Amino acid sequence: MQRIGVLGSGNVGTVLANGFLRHGHEVMRGSRDPVKLGDWLAKAGPSARTGTFAETAAWGEIVVLAVKGEAAESVLDLASAEVLAGKVVIDTTNPIASSPPVHGVLRYFTTLEESLMERLQRRVPSARFVKAFSVVGNALMVNPKLPGGPPTMFICGNDDAAKRDVTAILDTFGWLTEDLGAVEAARAIEPLCILWCIPGFQGRGWAHALKMLR
Ligand SMILES: NC(=O)c1ccc[n+]([C@@H]2O[C@H](COP(=O)([O-])OP(=O)(O)OC[C@H]3O[C@@H](n4cnc5c(N)ncnc54)[C@H](OP(=O)(O)O)[C@@H]3O)[C@@H](O)[C@H]2O)c1
């Protein structure tokens, strides 16, 4: 059992916080305005708590970053680099731009030469970022049940021990893990969200996930 600090009051924060609670961890969820998490807290049970981004990052042994991509760097600043130093930070974010999709293809504010996670890793060099959970909709993030069996979660990051910790979490959350290497692999992983969303925007539903076959 670990203390998991989930930065994010949105759907991803809710689903992952509930998943960690279900798998026996303690969870704190963070927001600029923790009051907005009151309804969640009331239902979440005795192993749950809420706080500011700074309080949540300080309390968590592992930190989950589940905030809007455009705000991710400023949330790291609110959490503070000193507090995040040495911690595993599971980065679920995608760099979705505010302009609308084109024929179901999301626009990103990053380029193929620089991912959001590279920006985050540069912002807090001492944090051990691992990209994970970014390539699937929140409804399927925890123990997805699909006819094709367990799907693949693509991860990357510079710290091998951190990736082992995240792989252990993904094992319990019902995923096969494909480690694509160092932080630069986020240039390839983050755009998989664009691909994942296209069938949904085309009206073919959102109940799908990706799988690496060999
Ligand atoms: N939705 C999905 O199914 C899905 C799937 C895969 C990956 N993702 C990625 O996961 C991340 C979270 O997605 P989401 O749908 O749960 O929620 P979201 O609406 O993208 O993000 C909500 C969070 O972002 C924070 N935020 C927004 N603007 C901010 C600002 N200006 N300054 C500081 N914080 C700000 C909010 O803080 P407050 O709590 O203070 O309001 C809140 O905690 C995103 O990067 C998304 O691309 C989403």
Side-chain angles (χ1 to χ4, degrees):
M1 186 178 79
Q2 287 173 300
R3 291 197 311 272
I4 314 292
V6 178
L7 307 177
S9 62
N11 291 335
V12 174
T14 300
V15 164
L16 291 180
N18 291 343
F20 280 110
L21 287 170
R22 203 159 65 240
H23 285 286
H25 300 281
E26 287 185 276
V27 172
M28 181 185 277
R29 280 183 79 187
S31 166
R32 287 168 297 178
D33 176 18
V35 172
K36 72 164 73 163
L37 291 164
D39 287 347
W40 173 79
L41 185 61
K43 292 185 215 137
S47 299
R49 63 199 78 200
T50 57
T52 62
F53 285 133
E55 289 164 345
T56 303
W59 180 86
E61 295 167 303
I62 290 179
V63 174
V64 178
L65 183 64
V67 298
K68 195 174 175 192
E70 285 174 329
E73 288 183 277
S74 66
V75 170
L76 293 184
D77 294 346
L78 291 171
S80 106
E82 292 73 28
V83 156
L84 293 170
K87 291 193 181 182
V88 175
V89 180
I90 301 178
D91 173 26
T92 75
T93 64
N94 280 310
I96 299 172
S98 47
S99 42
V102 183
H103 292 154
V105 180
L106 289 171
R107 294 176 201 246
Y108 274 15
F109 59 79
T110 48
T111 69
L112 288 174
E113 304 298 322
E114 189 205 37
S115 62
L116 178 55
M117 195 167 88
E118 289 170 272
R119 290 192 195 179
L120 303 180
Q121 184 67 78
R122 266 200 302 279
R123 192 91 166 188
V124 188
S126 52
R128 300 150 72 209
F129 285 93
V130 180
K131 195 94 211 168
F133 295 108
S134 64
V135 301
V136 72
N138 63 84
L140 290 170
M141 283 181 180
V142 181
N143 301 110
K145 297 280 177 282
L146 292 163
T152 304
M153 185 57 69
F154 298 92
I155 70 167
C156 70
N158 290 342
D159 189 294
D160 287 338
K163 289 191 286 189
R164 281 196 295 277
D165 289 350
V166 174
T167 299
I169 290 166
L170 288 165
D171 288 348
T172 62
F173 281 26
W175 288 88
L176 304 171
T177 299
E178 186 77 23
D179 177 358
L180 296 182
V183 64
E184 290 78 11
R187 298 176 196 180
I189 295 174
E190 289 170 1
L192 291 175
C193 161
I194 303 177
L195 183 147
W196 183 86
C197 284
I198 290 175
F201 285 128
Q202 289 178 338
R204 292 188 277 142
W206 302 91
H208 52 267
L210 307 177
K211 186 158 188 157
M212 180 75 97
L213 299 174
R214 292 190 166 82

